[in-house]
Amino acid sequence: MPEVHSLAQFAHDARFSALSADSLEQLRIRVLDTIGVAIAARDAEPIRAIRGLLADLGGTPQATYIGGGAGPLDRVAFYNTALSRYLDFMDSFLAPGETNHPSDNLGAVLAASESVDGSGREFLTALAVSYQVHARLSEAAPVRARGFDHTVQGAYAAAAGVSRALGLSVEHTAQALAISGTANNALRVTRTGNLSHWKGLAYPNVAKEATFAALLARAGITGPELVFEGNKGFRETIAGPFEVDWAAEGLDVVPRTLVKRHNAEIHSQTAIEAALDIRSQDGFLARAITGVHLRTFAVAHAIIGGGEEGSKQNIRSKEEADHSLPYLLAAALLDGAVQPAQFTPERILSDDIQDLLALITVEPDAALSARFPAEMPAELRVTFADGSVLEASESSYLGFPSDPLDWDGALEKFRPLAHPGLGIGPADRLAELIHSLETRPVRELTTALARVGGAEQDRS
């Protein structure tokens, strides 16, 4: 049996009952978190441009856009994933050679679930399938070091989740996985050098293409069934040797994912915590800083600290800022927060933050690197004009698997993100709906999301 069939069998056979109580609660938290982040991104310039394009294109209304209106399934998957991805405030999964964002699958799985009038229970099951596939492939078959983007594993994760949500047969699911996995192998240049809008849109594109692959498979189109093990297939060409026994997989990976506390690339979270610690210490005076030095693990240095993926000192855009440790540390030290407000063009280009980020250096440390990914150690040292020094170190934070968010903690992040787009009352009712989603039809959720930003709604 081709390996893709084993993966298809896993996706097809997944059952809601396989979710433990902890996994289910954490999955609800991920849905709440992802939707809150999506609501907060609705007015971003690239998002407005995409929504205008989709309105011009039109198409058969098959699923609901967050914010209202309906469109073709694959385009809704693209747009709603763009919303949840754009702010770079979503969850993450850490593996030694790869980092991904399993919540990137929510937009496509939700659209597919709505299109077949699915239940909340089936939606959550399909989303859990995406989480499991995305995390396990990233763990077993990392591709970053070979020059490919972490969206590569997502091509299988999104196709698996969408196929499960649509209720495809094992055979059709295998074809969807084969098509999506063969066709969507993106380059890591997406996240190196001067970053573009595509940093936040690469996974939405995969979500769109994986959804279309599932629709093609449902219509009878076949793909290369030896996509994993075949001549010039994924293993030979991209990933190298790896094994995943899909018959032995459960739906238990969700509690191993991280929820971001700060609106920044995942590997920066502990460094930001250290900066906020220093800011709270006696003797801190931002205008007197003469130097900032961070020692951290090698992956953080490579991706966002000025290592192999390019300098992080020349920051001019939101995409560059949220992937720059110097910028993020400067924002934390000056503003006491790294939230969406720290990524407006005015704040990014302001003299105080530009001057301070130029004083920040980042150094990888072998001992700290050995503690990753079980920990994300960061040691920060700030010097001042009078010669004084303040120091702080952090290795985890609230939202890390060892210190997970509970529902109340998740609401603390959700409310400031969702209230401006929905109002206090509707946002709180949306949260209540999500917390009982397994007992509700998924269309209740998409109907509520259609009201985001609507002037006519009750905002009390």
Side-chain angles (χ1 to χ4, degrees), residues 53 117 124 193 201 228 244-245 267 304 323 337 359 383 393 425 444:
L53 171 62
D117 287 319
L124 290 169
L201 298 176
F228 284 120
V244 178
D245 182 1
H267 302 106
I304 56 174
H323 265 54
L359 300 176
T383 58
S393 62
E444 282 193 38

Side-chain angles (χ1 to χ4, degrees), residues 1 18 39 66 70 79 92 119 148 152 154 173 195 205 247 290 294 296 304 310 322 365 368 408 416:
M1 178 185 294
I39 291 170
I66 295 175
Y79 178 74
S92 298
S119 67
F148 291 92
V152 168
T173 300
L195 300 185
N205 187 64
T290 57
L294 175 70
T296 191
I304 56 174
D322 66 33
D365 180 271
L368 300 183
D408 288 340

